[in-house]
Amino acid sequence: MRAVLETTPGGPEVLTVTEVPAPGLTPDGVRIRVRAAGINRADVMQRLGRYPVPPGASKIFGLEVSGTVSELGPEVPEDAGLAVGDEVVALLDSGGYAEEVVAPAAQVLPVPDGVDLEAAAGLPEVCATVFSNVFMAAAAREGEVVLIHGGTGGIGTNAIQMCRALGLRVLTTVGSPEKAAAARELGAETIDYRAEDFVERVRELTDGHGADIVLDVVGAMYLERNLDALAVNGRLVVIGLQGGRKGELDLGKLMAKRAAVIGTTLRSRPAGEKARIMAAVGEHVWPQVAAGRIAPVVNRTFPLEEAAQAHEYFDSGTHIGKVLLVP
């Protein structure tokens, strides 16, 4: 089968399409003929040599796919509700930039009603990331205010919709009028981080209350300002390090606000945790997708052979929503 590997850590040009053996079927595995694979920031970090795959996982890129079930392992339980020919999505440790993948049955969900199979590839990783962080780790409650940094990326476009659908007020930072318009259309109130101080704007928009939850992909650069933007009893959830790994934090301010700082990753979690997250996504998020309140926002698709060009486009930061690869 064809799959995307790298020749050496580096820029998009290191990605090559190579013929490799199809993955072996595991006892609890689901073989999927891939229709599309989502590109994520973790793929870029892997390409740069800064995010190694988990021990034992494939070195093929890709954390999420959509496709059609072609084979089931002998230990896939009947109550998994999976059958050959089903249209599904899967959350992966790696391996998605390929013609076939094998995923644990517990990390596979049916494509929600009304969602195109190709576009569905933009759902599993972002839905699992947003729900596990905002609603499981940060225990978001209806009526709270969430500040989402990077509102027009794959995570951001999904987070705006999910948080709105599940009863939160959404503020988000954006970097251009075009991106502000897109975020407002999804239901967010926007803050132009290039022209406005996001801490001051959050306070203005919330009458001094602040954000109950901040979902942050920036990291160190925003650490102290995120704390300033938090409400009393607020929760800062850091899921990315685009702005650095190390920063200073005023612990006195943290204690005075009775706030919490939570740092998480999804890929490195044990299989059992991923299974619980995907089960929760199926229970709480999929009905919202089927009802049309959450939809994959797909900006552009590239053929598998153009993985390097797709990463170059992704790295430009001009996309709004997901970028997909199609074998």
Side-chain angles (χ1 to χ4, degrees):
M1 70 172 188
R2 295 175 303 138
V4 176
L5 294 165
E6 63 183 347
T7 54
T8 184
E13 70 280 357
V14 305
L15 299 179
T16 61
V17 176
T18 307
E19 285 288 336
V20 299
L25 184 66
T26 56
D28 68 339
V30 179
R31 187 182 300 278
I32 300 168
R33 181 72 178 176
V34 175
R35 179 67 183 91
I39 296 177
N40 292 283
R41 180 64 54 185
D43 302 335
V44 173
M45 300 307 291
Q46 178 182 332
R47 190 195 76 214
L48 293 170
R50 300 175 189 168
Y51 196 23
V53 300
S58 169
K59 293 184 179 180
I60 297 169
F61 286 73
L63 302 181
E64 61 182 344
V65 297
S66 63
T68 305
V69 175
S70 60
E71 190 178 7
L72 298 173
E75 296 180 13
V76 173
E78 290 186 9
D79 61 8
L82 296 169
V84 172
D86 285 353
E87 295 186 344
V88 296
V89 298
L91 179 70
L92 309 168
D93 292 340
S94 60
Y97 292 13
E99 292 179 309
E100 288 186 8
V101 298
V102 171
Q107 293 171 212
V108 177
L109 290 174
V111 171
D113 292 342
V115 177
D116 174 77
L117 178 59
E118 183 175 294
L123 287 174
E125 198 274 344
V126 293
C127 285
T129 295
V130 175
F131 192 81
S132 66
N133 285 292
V134 176
F135 294 93
M136 297 174 76
R141 296 181 292 273
E142 186 174 353
E144 288 193 312
V145 177
V146 59
L147 170 64
I148 298 164
H149 286 301
T152 55
I155 292 289
T157 52
N158 181 267
I160 291 170
Q161 295 179 82
M162 189 185 302
C163 290
R164 286 276 295 171
L166 296 177
L168 303 185
R169 180 185 175 191
V170 180
L171 314 180
T172 190
T173 55
V174 294
S176 72
E178 178 189 16
K179 291 188 174 184
R184 285 195 295 269
E185 187 172 342
L186 293 172
E189 300 168 63
T190 60
I191 301 167
D192 184 342
Y193 69 84
R194 299 183 189 274
E196 301 174 289
D197 183 302
F198 76 79
V199 176
E200 292 181 3
R201 269 312 271 153
V202 167
R203 288 173 176 164
E204 290 172 5
L205 291 168
T206 61
D207 296 324
H209 175 79
D212 298 292
I213 298 167
V214 176
L215 183 66
D216 179 47
V217 297
V218 178
M221 185 189 304
Y222 276 6
L223 182 59
E224 186 154 357
R225 295 172 70 203
N226 280 333
L227 180 56
D228 289 338
L230 277 182
V232 173
N233 295 315
R235 290 86 76 199
L236 165 61
V237 187
V238 181
I239 62 170
L241 300 171
Q242 295 177 35
R245 299 169 60 93
K246 296 181 179 180
E248 292 190 3
L249 184 65
D250 185 335
L251 293 177
K253 190 182 298 182
L254 182 76
M255 294 166 69
K257 286 194 171 184
R258 302 187 296 281
V261 179
I262 304 165
T264 74
T265 61
L266 180 61
R267 184 188 205 176
S268 61
R269 294 188 189 219
E273 287 189 25
K274 290 180 182 176
R276 287 192 291 275
I277 290 169
M278 290 301 281
V281 167
E283 179 181 356
H284 300 286
V285 180
W286 254 217
Q288 302 294 335
V289 178
R293 300 184 188 97
I294 300 171
V297 178
V298 177
N299 178 258
R300 191 170 170 185
T301 61
F302 290 80
L304 194 68
E305 291 79 2
E306 295 181 9
Q309 293 93 320
H311 268 238
E312 183 177 7
Y313 178 67
F314 187 93
D315 287 354
S316 74
T318 59
H319 59 285
I320 295 174
K322 296 291 292 189
V323 178
L324 305 181
L325 286 177
V326 178

